[in-house]
Amino acid sequence: MYDLLIQNGLVYANGGFHKLNVCVKGEKIALLTDCDTRPEARRTIDATGKHVFPGFIDPHAHLRDPGLTHKEDFYTGTCAAANSGITMVCAQPNTQPVPSCYETYMEQVNEGKKKAIVDFNPIASPLGSSEDVRQIAAAGTAWFKIFQKVATYPYNTSAGTLDTHRIYEAFKDCAAVGKRCSVHPFDKYFFDAAVEQCKAEGKPLTLENVRYRWYSDEEMTGAAYQLSYYAQKAGLKWYAMHCWMPGYIDLVRMLKAQGMDIISSFEYMPSIDAPDEIYNVDTGEPIIVGHDARPIKEKIWEGIRDGTIDMIGSDHAPHAINEYNHLDALHTGAGFAMLDFFGHLLVHHMNEGCYSLQRLVEITSINFAKTFDLYPRKGSNLPGSDADFTIIDLDQEWTIDLNHKIYTKTRTNPYVGRKLKGKVTETIVRGRVVMQNGVVDCQPGWGKYIIPGENH
Ligand SMILES: [Zn+2]
């Protein structure tokens, strides 16, 4: 007698999709069988015509917990994740307090243990002491992250530094404990110049006027070149994060070809999809955001297809509604909540031809699991692995509207009116169905703190 049977689906196993039954016992996959057999189970999900993926993993979400829980917390954020098929998230470190020593890191882990409904690993800041980095690494952070832009808008965070020497020292600390380190590459001088240029032209400092000038290839790629050099010098396994500007993508492609041990991700927002308007779902009113969607998507998709880019993070970055003010670019909240939609959007882009079905499996789970020593526990549908599944109807066509049930605390919807092909219909975390047909149902605390290397 099994606990769960997923029947007649096209199941990813051994490098391809095959028509199989999946039998789950407790939190693990017990058996894959052909569809003629009829194993007995307490609960059965009919996956006829659907694809059964290894559970999607989001390496980059701002869950705001602890300290900024008026925006989001581990419960609401992971419910939103489950709503679009995400079975594990990596919470980013710009929280209060910043997880830069063992105690603050474990504080975040414990909030997650109490509230999360999908599996998680909080990413730590390496800007404490060398000893702090050692202790947090031993505790189990998947990697470390630094924000290179601080003190001024748009990324007010104590999880960062502008000091390149300090970043280099942190790289050495991470290298010494065998962990990767990622940096959101920024160059403050380009940001400051954009503001000054706007003022000189007599233009108000609205998001619309400033944002296009803030983010540029030379700004981000220049910073990334510098970081890549420090990473090589420090012997660091670099995690090239926010890899979305053309020159940055070319840099990663070149360094990979030279044999440097790099993993890279682009973050969905704002690189691929940055809507002009998000909606307050309670009032139906739009909040004008004026984000920057540049015509460089094809370069990013090419990077995914040719293996330059290994993962996609959502960059779920919720703010309270009253923190948005597009008229004041220097103080408005940057980013928005998107985990309720992220998994569906990734399926849609596959259907659009941006990447293959195989590549979708790799960028949503396999590459993460292999990089962070969690394979085959995560990222495989092999017997003995965690029973994490993202079940997808590739053909379903639907439109996101204001009635779409969302779970993020910020009650916003950035994709009203968006037509999609492909929908995640079930999210299963270690044998438990946490979302079915858009209804998330799970008590806080089901999500487990997942430690790299604990591969069982
Ligand atoms: Zn981010």
Side-chain angles (χ1 to χ4, degrees):
M1 185 75 162
Y2 294 104
D3 295 307
L4 177 67
L5 168 67
I6 303 168
Q7 198 172 266
N8 289 326
L10 285 160
V11 180
Y12 188 83
N14 298 319
F17 286 91
H18 310 280
K19 201 166 181 210
L20 292 167
N21 284 340
V22 183
C23 307
V24 174
K25 213 167 172 61
E27 300 184 6
K28 300 289 181 184
I29 299 172
L31 184 70
L32 302 177
T33 69
D34 64 62
C35 293
D36 300 333
T37 56
R38 289 263 165 250
E40 289 216 15
R42 288 187 182 82
R43 179 169 182 181
T44 298
I45 289 178
D46 179 13
T48 305
K50 295 182 182 176
H51 284 68
V52 182
F53 278 65
F56 283 7
I57 298 168
D58 178 5
H60 192 135
H62 298 272
L63 298 183
R64 311 300 195 198
D65 197 353
L68 300 163
T69 52
H70 65 289
K71 301 175 195 264
E72 196 75 286
D73 62 42
F74 267 104
Y75 178 65
T76 53
T78 56
C79 283
N83 196 20
S84 74
I86 311 300
T87 59
M88 176 172 171
V89 295
C90 293
Q92 300 299 296
N94 53 336
T95 50
Q96 289 172 0
V98 172
S100 58
C101 70
Y102 178 78
E103 287 72 23
T104 51
Y105 182 72
M106 290 313 293
E107 182 182 340
Q108 189 164 149
V109 168
N110 290 329
E111 291 305 314
K113 283 181 177 174
K114 275 187 271 177
K115 299 176 204 164
I117 73 159
V118 308
D119 289 349
F120 66 96
N121 183 286
I123 305 310
S125 161
L127 297 177
S129 68
S130 304
E131 180 55 26
D132 290 327
V133 169
R134 263 192 297 279
Q135 289 182 9
I136 298 169
T141 192
W143 78 91
F144 289 89
K145 178 185 178 185
I146 299 170
F147 292 76
Q148 201 174 2
K149 172 86 175 156
V150 287
T152 53
Y153 182 81
Y155 300 98
N156 293 308
T157 169
S158 43
T161 179
L162 290 169
D163 179 340
T164 43
H165 178 261
R166 182 71 191 87
I167 291 172
Y168 179 54
E169 293 298 313
F171 278 8
K172 287 196 280 188
D173 288 341
C174 295
V177 294
K179 290 282 180 183
R180 290 180 185 273
C181 186
S182 69
V183 180
H184 191 157
F186 277 116
D187 190 319
K188 170 184 159 46
Y189 296 106
F190 282 78
F191 273 64
D192 292 347
V195 171
E196 291 310 314
Q197 200 186 348
C198 243
K199 283 184 189 163
E201 291 171 16
K203 292 188 172 149
L205 297 177
T206 63
L207 254 189
E208 195 184 7
N209 287 339
V210 178
R211 203 172 171 97
Y212 282 93
R213 302 166 200 242
W214 265 339
Y215 297 100
S216 66
D217 190 25
E218 42 279 52
E219 180 270 323
M220 176 174 261
T221 303
Y225 264 82
Q226 194 176 21
L227 292 167
S228 73
Y229 181 71
Y230 297 149
Q232 282 172 304
K233 274 303 249 201
L236 176 77
K237 294 183 286 182
W238 192 32
Y239 176 170
M241 178 180 275
H242 286 285
C243 184
W244 64 284
M245 285 296 175
Y248 188 4
I249 293 170
D250 288 338
L251 169 67
V252 170
R253 184 179 288 120
M254 177 182 80
L255 293 174
K256 280 189 169 185
Q258 290 172 2
M260 187 176 170
D261 185 352
I262 309 180
I263 187 91
S264 82
S265 65
F266 84 83
E267 278 47 46
Y268 192 86
M269 193 291 299
S271 53
I272 283 290
D273 206 339
D276 288 335
E277 290 174 344
I278 62 176
Y279 282 81
N280 177 333
V281 298
D282 294 321
T283 65
E285 297 289 318
I287 305 163
I288 312 296
V289 177
H291 273 100
D292 183 357
R294 285 159 186 270
I296 55 173
K297 292 182 187 179
E298 189 43 45
K299 181 93 184 175
I300 298 173
W301 299 138
E302 184 194 340
I304 293 236
R305 291 193 296 266
D306 75 8
T308 303
I309 295 169
D310 305 286
M311 305 181 293
I312 306 183
S314 67
D315 214 352
H316 176 80
H319 296 279
I321 284 176
N322 63 11
E323 293 170 328
Y324 288 111
N325 179 6
H326 69 284
L327 298 176
D328 183 359
L330 299 186
H331 300 97
T332 185
F336 52 85
M338 59 162 306
L339 270 174
D340 283 284
F341 309 96
F342 181 51
H344 304 297
L345 291 161
L346 297 183
V347 177
H348 173 73
H349 294 309
M350 192 279 297
N351 272 325
E352 286 184 313
C354 300
Y355 38 74
S356 65
L357 198 55
Q358 171 66 26
R359 204 67 191 126
L360 181 59
V361 186
E362 290 165 2
I363 61 177
T364 51
S365 64
I366 294 176
N367 291 347
F368 179 96
K370 288 187 173 171
T371 300
F372 297 109
D373 197 13
L374 287 167
Y375 191 88
R377 179 185 181 184
K378 303 292 187 191
S380 87
N381 279 336
L382 299 173
S385 301
D386 283 357
D388 300 331
F389 306 102
T390 301
I391 304 182
I392 300 170
D393 180 345
L394 289 183
D395 299 321
Q396 193 175 145
E397 298 190 34
W398 59 296
T399 303
I400 297 174
D401 59 26
L402 270 174
N403 296 322
H404 184 78
K405 175 105 174 120
I406 60 165
Y407 291 88
T408 177
K409 195 178 272 188
T410 69
R411 310 282 301 144
T412 52
N413 183 335
Y415 298 116
V416 173
R418 192 67 62 93
K419 290 181 175 21
L420 299 184
K421 183 173 181 190
K423 192 171 196 177
V424 177
T425 56
E426 275 92 6
T427 308
I428 299 169
V429 178
R430 283 175 291 98
R432 176 160 180 161
V433 183
V434 298
M435 185 280 278
Q436 188 162 36
N437 298 321
V439 177
V440 175
D441 183 12
C442 185
Q443 87 278 9
W446 177 250
K448 241 185 195 171
Y449 174 44
I450 300 295
I451 298 175
E454 273 187 2
N455 214 346
H456 47 76

